[in-house]
């Protein structure tokens, strides 16, 4: 077999042209003269697709969600909770006045006036009603999350033994639009980029707190203050702080239904009075949930409800969070054997979206805006290693004209063909031992970008989509395949 890799220059130009038009007549003569023409041929091949259960996805620390809703499509419940640590570095505490200048006292030693966790909600990324009442339990972790462990959305801190009896625990109700916070508190919290106050939840940590050594303080802030003055080395960096002072917190949904929101972040603040030049002031120290520390979202899905959709072979599904992916089996052998002496110029495929069968209302889940196509064999490692799509073994497509279109996946076809040939050299049973060698998976994703000095944006990373989304795609069985359109070319023999 003489199936070739992509040829440079002239073939690349043809691939560009073929991605723009379906009319391939005259391509050879438009790029070469009469003595050196290219012969171009096209082919169409069937691609079979099916829905597969995501089960869980890699939990990036970039996005975390909180809430519980009923999926209008399945009737099942979806719940998101999260864990976070706080980056309370020594530079934050270095702003503290000297110990004898702190006026706040408890039992003859320095103390905090109060301590709170602020949770900030993203008002542009929520599902449901902002006035829906939810109940959460805030629990201090007894030990930190393992830095070496790859955390997925099925990670359960309770099952892992991270929440012990007797640790700090707080139960409270909340809504996204918290109309009870007065302006004096709001003025302490900076506004968002639109000049509006953040929607936020205050978690008060002002009850008596007993540390792991059995020592009791009047509130959690006093514990933090005294730890700093007694052991400043524990505040040298976030690792020392997390392993010696504050392992983190788990935010668990215990009641309520009808709201799920993206979190902008969380801060841990303690307040105190101090004296300077005979004048009393109020000061505070804050730590934040940043990407330098561990954060993870836990997703609980109704798998029986999801399975009913997977069993529907009239279509395939894309569903998040941690719901359903679409798997496609590419006809590698058919593509490579159809023109054994030609070179593969381009291969395009489009996954057409089907209209929802749900009644049109404000709570119908929107379709994922962007999906990743990645080899099934590397589905997990791709996200764990925080790779970027390279248009060789992974591709990205945004929803456009009611479809997710991939204009040229020729590289991944060539790569799969090469992997098979190399594998068979040493293992005659390679295909049987690698059943997913010719399969790709479509995964809903979020793309992170940053603005450049010229006003353009640069992609800085991608992650599994944790927000609610759902759509149906054409396909689902061998009786309703989708098409892979291929363009081949070779130099005309003299």
């Amino acid at each position: 077999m003489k199936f070739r890799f992509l040829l440079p220059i002239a073939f690349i130009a043809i691939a560009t042209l073929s991605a723009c038009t379906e009319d391939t007549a005259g391509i050879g003569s438009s790029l070469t003269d009469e003595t050196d023409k290219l012969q171009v041929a096209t082919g169409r091949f069937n691609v079979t697709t099916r829905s597969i259960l995501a089960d869980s996805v890699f939990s990036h620390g970039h996005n975390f969600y909180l809430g519980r809703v009923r999926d209008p499509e399945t009737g099942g419940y979806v719940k998101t909770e999260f864990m976070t640590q706080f980056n309370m570095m020594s530079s934050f505490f270095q702003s503290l006045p000297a110990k004898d200048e702190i006026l706040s006292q408890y039992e003859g030693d320095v103390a905090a006036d109060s301590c709170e966790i602020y949770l900030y909600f993203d008002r542009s990324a929520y599902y449901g009603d902002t006035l829906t009442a939810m109940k959460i339990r805030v629990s201090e972790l007894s030990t930190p999350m393992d830095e070496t462990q790859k955390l997925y959305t099925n990670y359960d801190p309770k099952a892992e033994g991270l929440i012990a009896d007797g640790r700090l625990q707080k139960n409270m109700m909340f809504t996204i639009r918290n109309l009870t916070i007065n302006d004096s508190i709001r003025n302490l919290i900076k506004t968002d980029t639109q000049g509006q106050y953040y929607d936020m939840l205050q978690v008060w940590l002002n009850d008596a707190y007993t540390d792991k050594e059995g020592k009791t303080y009047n509130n959690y802030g006093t514990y933090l203050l005294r730890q700093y003055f007694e052991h400043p080395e524990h505040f040298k960096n976030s690792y020392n702080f997390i392993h010696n002072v504050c392992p983190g917190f788990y935010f668990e949904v215990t009641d309520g239904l009808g709201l799920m929101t993206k979190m902008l972040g969380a801060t841990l603040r303690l307040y105190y009075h101090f004296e300077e030049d005979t004048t009393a002031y109020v000061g505070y120290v804050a730590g934040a949930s940043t990407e330098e520390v561990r954060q993870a979202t836990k997703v609980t899905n109704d798998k029986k409800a999801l399975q009913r959709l997977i069993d529907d072979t009239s279509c395939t599904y894309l569903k998040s969070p941690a719901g359903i992916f679409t798997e496609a089996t590419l006809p590698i052998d058919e593509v490579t054997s159809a023109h054994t002496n030609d070179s593969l110029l381009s291969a395009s495929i489009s996954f057409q979206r089907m209209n929802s069968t749900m009644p049109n209302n404000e709570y119908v889940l929107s379709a994922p805006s962007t999906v990743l196509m990645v080899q099934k064999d590397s589905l997990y490692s791709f996200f764990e290693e925080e790779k970027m799509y390279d248009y060789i073994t992974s591709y990205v497509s945004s929803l456009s004209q009611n479809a997710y279109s991939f204009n040229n996946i020729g590289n991944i076809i060539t790569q799969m063909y090469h992997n098979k040939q190399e594998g068979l050299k040493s293992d005659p049973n390679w295909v049987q031992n690698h059943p997913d060698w010719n399969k790709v998976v479509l995964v809903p994703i979020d793309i992170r970008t940053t603005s450049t000095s010229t006003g353009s944006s640069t992609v800085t990373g991608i992650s599994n989509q944790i927000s609610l989304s759902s759509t149906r795609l054409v396909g689902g069985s061998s009786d309703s395949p989708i098409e892979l359109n291929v363009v081949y070319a070779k130099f005309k023999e003299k």
Side-chain angles (χ1 to χ4, degrees):
M1 184 175 291
K2 299 180 180 179
F3 184 71
R4 304 172 185 172
F5 294 98
L6 296 178
L7 298 181
I9 307 176
F11 284 178
I12 294 175
I14 294 178
T16 303
L17 290 174
S18 64
C20 300
T21 177
E22 295 181 357
D23 184 7
T24 58
I27 290 180
S29 59
S30 68
L31 295 175
T32 59
D33 59 29
E34 291 296 322
T35 62
D36 190 25
K37 284 188 175 180
L38 289 174
Q39 291 181 326
V40 178
T42 61
R44 293 184 177 181
F45 303 89
N46 289 336
V47 174
T48 57
T49 59
R50 69 183 184 116
S51 299
I52 60 174
L53 184 66
D55 182 58
S56 62
V57 297
F58 184 66
S59 185
H60 295 261
H62 312 291
N63 296 327
F64 46 103
Y65 286 75
L66 184 68
R68 182 172 179 262
V69 299
R70 184 192 293 272
D71 186 334
E73 194 170 30
T74 66
Y77 295 103
V78 184
K79 183 166 67 169
T80 52
E81 303 160 314
F82 70 94
M83 294 144 281
T84 187
Q85 298 169 339
F86 290 98
N87 191 355
M88 189 83 78
M89 296 187 298
S90 61
S91 58
F92 299 149
F93 276 81
Q94 286 172 358
S95 62
L96 282 170
K99 185 176 181 180
D100 57 6
E101 293 178 349
I102 295 178
L103 300 177
S104 306
Q105 298 283 311
Y106 175 71
E107 294 183 346
D109 202 349
V110 293
D113 295 329
S114 65
C115 184
E116 299 91 39
I117 294 175
Y118 291 94
L119 300 180
Y120 303 104
F121 306 121
D122 189 341
R123 62 162 55 93
S124 67
Y126 69 89
Y127 175 89
D129 189 336
T130 58
L131 295 179
T132 297
M134 304 293 294
K135 186 177 182 180
I136 63 170
R137 178 179 296 123
V138 182
S139 303
E140 183 192 20
L141 302 182
S142 58
T143 57
M145 292 177 275
D146 186 354
E147 287 85 359
T148 65
Q149 185 174 356
K150 302 293 185 181
L151 300 184
Y152 278 73
T153 52
N154 59 357
Y155 182 83
D156 187 348
K158 290 183 176 180
E160 296 292 328
L162 268 61
I163 300 176
D165 294 336
R167 305 298 292 179
L168 184 155
Q169 198 169 88
K170 187 84 172 181
N171 295 291
M172 60 187 309
M173 303 291 295
F174 78 95
T175 61
I176 287 184
R177 287 294 167 89
N178 190 347
L179 304 179
T180 66
I181 299 178
N182 59 43
D183 289 341
S184 63
I185 295 297
R186 291 185 184 276
N187 287 333
L188 294 174
I189 311 299
K190 74 173 186 177
T191 56
D192 62 19
T193 55
Q194 285 75 43
Q196 302 181 49
Y197 291 118
Y198 282 127
D199 291 319
M200 61 185 180
L201 167 65
Q202 273 181 296
V203 181
W204 297 93
L205 306 181
N206 291 332
D207 296 328
Y209 173 75
T210 302
D211 66 15
K212 59 185 178 182
E213 305 298 332
K215 188 174 181 179
T216 300
Y217 306 82
N218 64 325
N219 62 49
Y220 193 73
T222 297
Y223 160 72
L224 295 176
L225 269 182
R226 293 186 184 178
Q227 286 295 307
Y228 173 72
F229 285 115
E230 292 173 12
H231 300 284
E233 70 277 8
H234 292 169
F235 294 75
K236 182 180 180 181
N237 51 48
S238 59
Y239 180 89
N240 287 3
F241 177 73
I242 291 165
H243 283 263
N244 295 285
V245 183
C246 176
F249 288 85
Y250 175 43
F251 300 85
E252 175 188 8
V253 176
T254 57
D255 202 359
L257 179 68
L259 174 68
M260 186 172 292
T261 179
K262 180 181 178 181
M263 308 302 299
L264 288 173
T267 60
L268 174 63
R269 293 185 176 220
L270 64 90
Y271 297 87
Y272 58 91
H273 279 78
F274 69 100
E275 185 178 62
E276 186 175 292
D277 297 329
T278 70
T279 302
Y281 298 92
V282 175
Y284 73 89
V285 177
S289 59
T290 66
E291 293 185 12
E292 288 75 25
V293 296
R294 301 219 80 177
Q295 302 172 86
T297 297
K298 179 188 175 187
V299 177
T300 305
N301 263 317
D302 186 335
K303 293 183 180 179
K304 290 184 179 179
L306 292 177
Q307 189 61 47
R308 290 195 293 270
L309 299 186
I310 293 173
D311 293 338
D312 177 9
T313 59
S314 65
C315 61
T316 66
Y317 286 86
L318 291 174
K319 201 168 187 65
S320 68
I324 302 175
F325 299 154
T326 287
E327 174 193 284
T329 301
L330 300 180
I332 307 300
D333 291 334
E334 291 87 339
V335 171
T336 56
S337 63
H339 291 259
T340 57
N341 295 315
D342 297 351
S343 292
L344 176 63
L345 291 186
S346 71
S348 59
I349 188 170
S350 182
F351 297 86
Q352 193 70 31
R353 180 172 174 259
M354 300 173 67
N355 291 331
S356 173
T357 58
M358 296 294 298
N360 189 21
N361 63 68
E362 61 179 318
Y363 294 122
V364 171
L365 301 183
S366 60
S369 59
T370 309
V371 299
L372 171 78
M373 175 189 286
V374 64
Q375 288 178 281
K376 188 176 182 182
D377 280 340
S378 58
L379 173 61
Y380 296 104
S381 62
F382 183 91
F383 290 100
E384 288 179 1
E385 298 170 12
E386 299 193 2
K387 295 180 180 179
M388 287 289 292
Y389 51 92
D390 56 10
Y391 293 104
I392 298 175
T393 59
S394 56
Y395 302 78
V396 163
S397 176
S398 296
L399 183 62
S400 177
Q401 297 182 336
N402 215 33
Y404 302 99
S405 299
F406 298 87
N407 293 326
N408 190 359
I409 61 169
N411 281 327
I412 200 169
I413 291 175
T414 300
Q415 182 70 39
M416 287 177 168
Y417 170 79
H418 175 76
N419 290 343
K420 178 184 176 183
Q421 297 304 308
E422 289 299 310
L424 289 174
K425 289 179 181 179
S426 58
D427 181 8
N429 297 317
W430 186 87
V431 172
Q432 291 80 4
N433 294 331
H434 298 80
D436 296 326
W437 73 275
N438 59 348
K439 294 177 174 58
V440 294
V441 178
L442 300 188
V443 182
I445 61 168
D446 288 322
I447 294 182
R448 301 188 303 282
T449 61
T450 185
S451 298
T452 64
S453 58
T454 60
S456 61
S457 60
T458 301
V459 176
T460 58
I462 64 174
S463 55
N464 291 104
Q465 187 174 26
I466 303 298
S467 60
L468 291 161
S469 71
S470 183
T471 193
R472 300 190 305 155
L473 302 177
V474 172
S477 71
S478 58
D479 297 330
S480 56
I482 59 178
E483 286 188 346
L484 174 70
N485 295 297
V486 178
V487 177
Y488 304 93
K490 68 177 180 180
F491 286 107
K492 182 178 180 182
E493 296 180 1
K494 296 181 180 180

